[in-house]
Amino acid sequence: NMTFSYYFLILLVVVLSMDAFAAGLSYGMDKVTVPFLSLFIIALLSGGMLTASLLAGNFLLGFIPEEVTKGLSFTVLFLLSLYKFYDAIPQLHPKNGGLTTGNISRKVNKEDKAILTCREGALLAFALSVDNISAGLCTGTVSLPTIILLLLTTAIHFFAFRLGLLTGSVLSRRSRRLTWLGGAVLMLLAF
């Protein structure tokens, strides 16, 4: 069913953009200024890598038997959901914080702690896109024109990061851990 595929794609992109939301939340709470160009670079690179991996997934999945692709898609989405749960539960992290979205965000922003530069934004986009690439390669996509797919993935990442910035500037640190929702949705998508 083509309609279901479009809904699945949008839901997948929204869930995968939750890392961008969490990074924005982290920067918003730390009162880091993210200029429009840095935000655009983050969204474009994240959306571009997801788009490329979805298209590559379509190509690669054509050579693999359907049973194997279903198993591979399930495994990747399931493992990504476990990482999202790990990211969302601070008690699971080692003392130095581990490999979490918040820690990656803080480690990337080294030059001027009050401003996220374009170069730092590009580094952040690459760090946040690891799950985008793996999920895209294993799920493929519906037959949307490439430019539409790129615009969709970029816009969703842009708004997720921007919403994270706004939310982070408003909420206290106690309300920060909403990323478990991404894990729950990825788990549902896996099944």
Side-chain angles (χ1 to χ4, degrees):
N1 185 352
M2 191 61 81
T3 305
F4 176 75
S5 298
Y6 289 129
Y7 289 133
F8 175 83
L9 174 68
I10 291 171
L11 183 59
L12 180 67
V13 175
V14 167
V15 168
L16 291 173
S17 72
M18 286 192 175
D19 277 350
F21 174 82
L25 194 65
S26 175
Y27 286 126
M29 290 178 153
D30 291 341
K31 297 183 177 17
V32 174
T33 301
V34 180
F36 177 82
L37 188 56
S38 296
L39 178 56
F40 180 74
I41 287 170
I42 292 167
L44 183 62
L45 288 176
S46 296
M49 284 187 270
L50 178 55
T51 299
S53 65
L54 286 166
L55 295 172
N58 279 350
F59 177 74
L60 293 174
L61 294 176
F63 294 107
I64 302 171
E66 187 176 342
E67 299 77 35
V68 175
T69 60
K70 285 181 180 177
L72 191 58
S73 295
F74 170 81
T75 303
V76 168
L77 291 172
F78 185 79
L79 291 174
L80 286 174
S81 72
L82 292 180
Y83 171 73
K84 298 281 188 193
F85 284 124
Y86 164 79
D87 197 29
I89 303 171
Q91 294 83 354
L92 297 177
H93 309 161
K95 288 199 189 288
N96 66 0
L99 188 61
T100 64
T101 302
N103 282 344
I104 291 169
S105 301
R106 282 186 282 284
K107 288 177 183 171
V108 165
N109 189 17
K110 290 183 178 178
E111 290 174 19
D112 179 355
K113 299 286 186 201
I115 298 173
L116 185 71
T117 66
C118 292
R119 186 180 67 77
E120 292 167 339
L123 286 172
L124 179 63
F126 284 114
L128 296 177
S129 291
V130 172
D131 57 351
N132 287 1
I133 293 167
S134 55
L137 285 173
C138 292
T139 56
T141 184
V142 294
S143 57
L144 280 175
T146 303
I147 190 67
I148 301 295
L149 188 57
L150 177 62
L151 289 173
L152 176 72
T153 57
T154 299
I156 289 174
H157 278 84
F158 182 91
F159 288 115
F161 196 93
R162 185 76 183 120
L163 183 61
L165 281 172
L166 293 171
T167 305
S169 67
V170 172
L171 295 179
S172 69
R173 288 198 180 270
R174 288 194 79 164
S175 303
R176 178 177 178 195
R177 293 294 175 185
L178 302 172
T179 53
W180 65 267
L181 185 59
V185 174
L186 278 174
M187 186 79 72
L188 286 173
L189 285 176
F191 285 100

